[in-house]
Amino acid sequence: MKRSSISLSGKKVGALAMVSLVLLASSCSKKTKVSLQTATVAKGEITESVTATGTLECITQVDVGTQVTGIVSKLFADYNSIVTEGQLIAEIDKTTLEADLQSADAQLESARLEYEYDKKNYERDSVLHEKQLISDSEFETSWRDYLVAKADYDRMKANRVSAARNLSYAEITSPMDGIVISREVEIGQTVVSNMEVANLFTIGDLDKMQVVADVDEADIGTVKVGQNAQFTVDAFPDDIFYGEVTQVRISPTTDSNVTTYEVLISAANPDHKLIPGLTANVTIKVTEVKDVMTLPIKVLRFSPMQFEDSEGLPVAEDMPKPPTEGVAPAANGSEIPDPTIVTDDARRLVWVLSNDNRLVPTEIEMGVENGINVEVKSGLKVGDKVALQYTTEMLEEETSQGESNPFMPGPPGRDRDKKKNGGNEGDE
């Protein structure tokens, strides 16, 4: 992972931290004790997610219609009906279509008889023409009548096929296994087939669903096909559904100056809990590594300091010591080693607490990070303690009871006591 880092020198970091501690110690009447907080290298997982909202759809969904005009005479399926491929689900009145087929049969038979008659005449005239018993004109007329009859016969066969197919269209069958999502017609309703197929039913496969999620343009660069995702729906708030990114569409949608991209997430739905149209709250895991060494990312910003107990300074007992070379007490601003040495984008310096209570600078190789934790690829082992930050706590009061801080408010009730005594305590 490419990262850009901005490093502060150890001297600056130490000075800033020291100023904060001294100000904290001098702002109240209590002494401040400083201690070092550490983080332990442990095995774990690191994830980074992108959130989005989307709508559930069936992966496979078909609009079932009719290619013929007629009156719906029977319905064999309704909303939520479970259907199988080839199952009869509706029927259009066949009276007109059957009449068209009978007419096509009659025209075909007439064309066949004409064709066979003209064919025999052509064959007979062909023999006579070879013997020069008829003229060329008579033979050519016979040949033309034969070709016209043959073409007419072929046309009637095609018309008969069309009439039979239209009759079959009167029986509406399911093209797939699934469930009827919607029914658009009633018995007695006339459906008209013009340039578009009249829609009667919508059938979908609820076994496999998909979420069409709208991902913000700032996050779309991290979303890839194959990433794991999970989502919830308001209909089942206690259930978590799992899926996988199957497509990232590059066609943008802009609404109120907000640009989003559609991401398809497939999900199994064996219980048919998920139905089309539900709104899903999606979390896509764009970074996910498991069983790796992890540390809080704050260890990369730690700066070591040395403390000396003196008047007005925090108390630092048993504090781990940084390397002695080039290091002096932080109170007088001496140079402190730079804790952010960077050899490349993947290698950084951390401070490990040794067995002899010293801080040892150690270079690590980083992996993925999510802004909270970072993967440690090499340089440390499980169980190592790494310096995280300095913490403070308040000790017992050192000021006497008669002393007071003019910048601190007095205890409750003191002003009331003064008024009862007729003046200030000092006046007495």
Side-chain angles (χ1 to χ4, degrees):
M1 176 182 295
K2 291 291 183 182
R3 293 181 56 87
S4 61
S5 59
I6 301 177
S7 301
L8 293 176
S9 70
K11 182 175 181 179
K12 292 181 179 179
V13 174
L16 290 174
M18 196 61 227
V19 168
S20 299
L21 293 174
V22 171
L23 288 176
L24 178 62
S26 61
S27 64
C28 60
S29 60
K30 295 184 179 181
K31 289 290 287 184
T32 305
K33 180 181 178 180
V34 181
S35 59
L36 179 66
Q37 183 180 353
T38 61
T40 303
V41 180
K43 285 293 186 79
E45 66 178 39
I46 297 178
T47 61
E48 186 177 4
S49 303
V50 168
T51 58
T53 59
T55 305
L56 277 160
E57 296 179 354
C58 295
I59 292 181
T60 305
Q61 181 173 303
V62 179
D63 292 331
V64 182
T66 177
Q67 290 183 288
V68 294
T69 298
I71 299 174
V72 178
S73 60
K74 297 178 182 178
L75 290 175
F76 302 101
D78 202 349
Y79 286 95
N80 303 332
S81 295
I82 304 298
V83 296
T84 58
E85 183 178 355
Q87 177 181 333
L88 183 65
I89 56 178
E91 189 174 290
I92 294 176
D93 183 67
K94 298 180 179 180
T95 303
T96 302
L97 298 174
E98 288 175 342
D100 291 341
L101 179 60
Q102 292 176 359
S103 175
D105 286 337
Q107 293 175 359
L108 176 62
E109 181 63 17
S110 175
R112 183 186 67 81
L113 294 175
E114 185 69 23
Y115 164 70
E116 292 178 352
Y117 173 76
D118 289 337
K119 180 180 179 182
K120 290 181 180 180
N121 282 340
Y122 166 71
E123 293 173 349
R124 183 170 53 251
D125 290 347
S126 178
V127 174
L128 295 176
H129 183 262
E130 290 177 357
K131 297 178 180 181
Q132 296 184 353
L133 296 177
I134 59 175
S135 64
D136 292 341
S137 176
E138 290 176 332
F139 174 72
E140 291 175 355
T141 300
S142 177
W143 177 65
R144 185 205 61 189
D145 292 342
Y146 163 71
L147 294 179
V148 171
K150 184 177 182 301
D152 190 54
Y153 180 48
D154 292 338
R155 181 170 60 86
M156 291 304 162
K157 287 194 291 185
N159 289 344
R160 201 276 176 190
V161 171
S162 178
R165 177 57 62 88
N166 287 339
L167 180 61
S168 69
Y169 286 152
E171 295 182 347
I172 312 300
T173 59
S174 173
M176 57 178 287
D177 297 342
I179 186 172
V180 177
I181 297 175
S182 67
R183 174 174 60 83
E184 308 296 337
V185 293
E186 300 287 346
I187 293 178
Q189 181 176 339
T190 301
V191 291
V192 179
S193 176
N194 295 322
M195 296 299 295
E196 297 181 358
V197 176
N199 187 39
L200 277 66
F201 297 91
T202 299
I203 298 177
D205 181 8
L206 293 187
D207 291 334
K208 296 179 181 180
M209 302 292 290
Q210 68 181 9
V211 180
V212 183
D214 296 323
V215 177
D216 189 83
E217 60 178 323
D219 299 323
I220 195 64
T222 60
V223 179
K224 307 295 180 185
V225 173
Q227 290 173 340
N228 294 326
Q230 63 185 46
F231 60 92
T232 59
V233 294
D234 292 340
F236 305 99
D238 297 329
D239 294 341
I240 298 178
F241 303 91
Y242 299 90
E244 179 181 319
V245 176
T246 56
Q247 189 179 65
V248 179
R249 295 178 175 173
I250 62 175
S251 176
T253 300
T254 303
D255 185 13
S256 300
N257 294 326
V258 177
T259 301
T260 58
Y261 292 82
E262 288 186 347
V263 174
L264 303 188
I265 301 166
S266 64
N269 187 32
D271 299 332
H272 292 183
K273 283 186 174 181
L274 301 175
I275 56 178
L278 291 179
T279 299
N281 300 309
V282 183
T283 301
I284 303 172
K285 295 182 178 180
V286 296
T287 299
E288 183 178 21
V289 292
K290 298 181 178 180
D291 196 29
V292 296
M293 291 189 297
T294 64
L295 276 174
I297 201 169
K298 289 174 63 176
V299 300
L300 303 178
R301 298 190 291 270
F302 175 78
S303 174
M305 294 185 295
Q306 284 192 3
F307 298 90
E308 289 184 353
D309 295 338
S310 61
E311 186 66 29
L313 289 179
V315 177
E317 299 177 353
D318 300 325
M319 184 70 66
K321 307 297 184 183
T324 57
E325 183 178 356
V327 179
N332 51 28
S334 298
E335 188 68 26
I336 296 175
D338 189 349
T340 55
I341 299 173
V342 180
T343 56
D344 57 52
D345 288 343
R347 305 190 72 86
R348 296 290 292 274
L349 194 71
V350 297
W351 295 86
V352 180
L353 183 62
S354 65
N355 293 332
D356 58 351
N357 200 34
R358 301 195 67 83
L359 290 176
V360 180
T362 304
E363 190 180 62
I364 65 170
E365 181 183 0
M366 301 189 306
V368 300
E369 55 92 5
N370 60 358
I372 300 175
N373 296 316
V374 62
E375 176 191 1
V376 179
K377 287 188 173 182
S378 63
L380 297 175
K381 62 181 183 298
V382 174
D384 285 345
K385 293 185 180 298
V386 181
L388 183 64
Q389 62 184 1
Y390 291 109
T391 59
T392 60
E393 60 177 316
M394 307 304 294
L395 300 178
E396 69 280 356
E397 291 187 4
E398 293 183 352
T399 57
S400 64
Q401 186 174 3
E403 295 177 348
S404 63
N405 189 333
F407 299 102
M408 296 293 290
R414 187 166 182 175
D415 292 338
R416 292 196 301 269
D417 294 339
K418 292 180 180 179
K419 292 179 180 180
K420 289 180 180 179
N421 296 331
N424 296 329
E425 292 180 0
D427 297 334
E428 295 180 2

